[in-house]
Amino acid sequence: PAALDRDTAWSRRRWWAVGLVLGLVAVLVSQTRGALVIMVWLAGLLLRHLWQHRPVGAPRSLAALAVALVLAGSSAWWDADPLRLREAGQDVALALTQNQPDTSVGSRLEMWSTAARGIAQAPWLGHGISAREVAMRELGAQHAPHIWAKLRHFHNEYLNAWFDHGVVGLGAVLVTLLGLMTSAHVLRKQQPVASQQLWGLAVVHGVAGMTNVNTAHNLYTLALSLAVSAVLLRAAQAPLNNHNTRTS
């Protein structure tokens, strides 16, 4: 959003644009499928920007965006499978049709099923961390050691917290996401750039939590805290959008 902010000089925005491109390349090179939602959010943001401003070059920009999305989707049929999309489809097929969950996606499906069954037995108070670790060890004993040996949680932020601590644990996870969304909503008129940035963080944080327990890793919580702090600090220094603000 900062790179697209026309109220800021291009001499500053170009560095944000460079950072954006480098960040996107890092996601693609990492082959982390849970982070690919950033591409969907970015495409939606660009479409919204083009629709609002409708520049002369909009058709070319839309064409370039369409080509980029088609290339990303078609990568599943490339020999290298750079985004690991074909691999994900194969993992799902092995897990559902041949009962072989010893893959990245298959193991997640198995863990989510186990977590859901446990939650159904104790939805309010949960089972506790020790019970989850026991369940994970039992799962690991049934499957390939090289996939399951190091797994300690259910690789789903919401199911993991719900299984461990019941509805209170699930609520604790949702509070962070709700806080991001509420902050984005509050800032939408006076600080539209910061609002869009917080919406982006909320989308990526919310979706990425579906395939991993990201807050179990210190690096993730540090990165999320720094990202939110950077948005709010910039918003505190930026002038208010007086176009939509009443003044007395």
Side-chain angles (χ1 to χ4, degrees), residues 17-82:
V18 170
L20 172 65
V21 171
L22 292 176
L24 185 58
V25 169
V27 170
L28 296 176
V29 171
S30 74
Q31 296 186 322
T32 305
R33 287 182 298 242
L36 294 182
V37 66
I38 189 68
M39 297 175 63
V40 179
W41 175 75
L42 179 59
L45 186 69
L46 290 173
L47 287 173
R48 180 176 180 271
H49 178 78
L50 291 172
W51 175 256
Q52 286 180 334
H53 298 284
R54 297 183 185 85
V56 177
R60 292 192 296 271
S61 300
L62 288 173
L65 178 60
V67 170
L69 293 176
V70 169
L71 286 174
S74 65
S75 67
W77 287 271
W78 301 356
D79 291 338
D81 190 22

Side-chain angles (χ1 to χ4, degrees), residues 66-110:
V67 170
L69 293 176
V70 169
L71 286 174
S74 65
S75 67
W77 287 271
W78 301 356
D79 291 338
D81 190 22
L83 301 183
R84 298 169 62 216
L85 299 178
R86 185 174 67 251
E87 176 187 314
Q90 294 170 346
D91 289 356
V92 172
L94 286 172
L96 297 181
T97 63
Q98 302 182 34
N99 193 28
Q100 296 183 19
D102 297 326
T103 60
S104 177
V105 177
S107 60
R108 281 172 167 80
L109 295 176
E110 186 79 358

Side-chain angles (χ1 to χ4, degrees), residues 222-241:
L222 174 62
L224 181 62
S225 299
L226 288 175
V228 175
S229 298
V231 171
L232 296 180
L233 286 173
R234 182 180 181 277
Q237 298 173 353
L240 296 178
N241 183 8

Side-chain angles (χ1 to χ4, degrees), residues 1-239:
L4 295 174
D5 182 19
R6 294 192 170 191
D7 293 332
T8 304
W10 173 245
S11 59
R12 294 184 61 186
R13 289 193 289 138
R14 64 184 178 185
W15 297 112
W16 294 329
V18 170
L20 172 65
V21 171
L22 292 176
L24 185 58
V25 169
V27 170
L28 296 176
V29 171
S30 74
Q31 296 186 322
T32 305
R33 287 182 298 242
L36 294 182
V37 66
I38 189 68
M39 297 175 63
V40 179
W41 175 75
L42 179 59
L45 186 69
L46 290 173
L47 287 173
R48 180 176 180 271
H49 178 78
L50 291 172
W51 175 256
Q52 286 180 334
H53 298 284
R54 297 183 185 85
V56 177
R60 292 192 296 271
S61 300
L62 288 173
L65 178 60
V67 170
L69 293 176
V70 169
L71 286 174
S74 65
S75 67
W77 287 271
W78 301 356
D79 291 338
D81 190 22
L83 301 183
R84 298 169 62 216
L85 299 178
R86 185 174 67 251
E87 176 187 314
Q90 294 170 346
D91 289 356
V92 172
L94 286 172
L96 297 181
T97 63
Q98 302 182 34
N99 193 28
Q100 296 183 19
D102 297 326
T103 60
S104 177
V105 177
S107 60
R108 281 172 167 80
L109 295 176
E110 186 79 358
M111 288 185 285
W112 298 344
S113 298
T114 301
R117 290 193 295 268
I119 290 169
Q121 296 171 1
W124 300 107
L125 298 179
H127 297 275
I129 297 174
S130 297
R132 184 239 304 159
E133 293 176 344
V134 170
M136 290 300 302
R137 284 196 294 270
E138 291 177 350
L139 275 175
Q142 302 171 19
H143 302 290
H146 72 281
I147 294 290
W148 296 82
K150 296 182 179 180
L151 299 182
R152 294 292 180 269
H153 52 67
F154 291 122
H155 278 69
N156 182 297
E157 195 86 54
Y158 311 98
L159 294 178
N160 201 79
W162 200 352
F163 182 97
D164 285 1
H165 308 296
V167 293
V168 175
L170 177 61
V173 171
L174 294 177
V175 161
T176 301
L177 183 60
L178 182 62
L180 286 171
M181 297 169 65
T182 301
S183 300
H185 178 73
V186 170
L187 292 173
R188 71 190 187 284
K189 292 184 178 179
Q190 295 185 358
Q191 296 288 355
V193 172
S195 175
Q196 293 172 15
Q197 291 172 323
L198 289 176
W199 273 119
L201 288 171
V203 168
V204 176
H205 174 65
V207 175
M210 296 179 181
T211 57
N212 198 13
V213 182
N214 292 307
T215 54
H217 308 279
N218 293 336
L219 181 60
Y220 180 88
T221 53
L222 174 62
L224 181 62
S225 299
L226 288 175
V228 175
S229 298
V231 171
L232 296 180
L233 286 173
R234 182 180 181 277
Q237 298 173 353

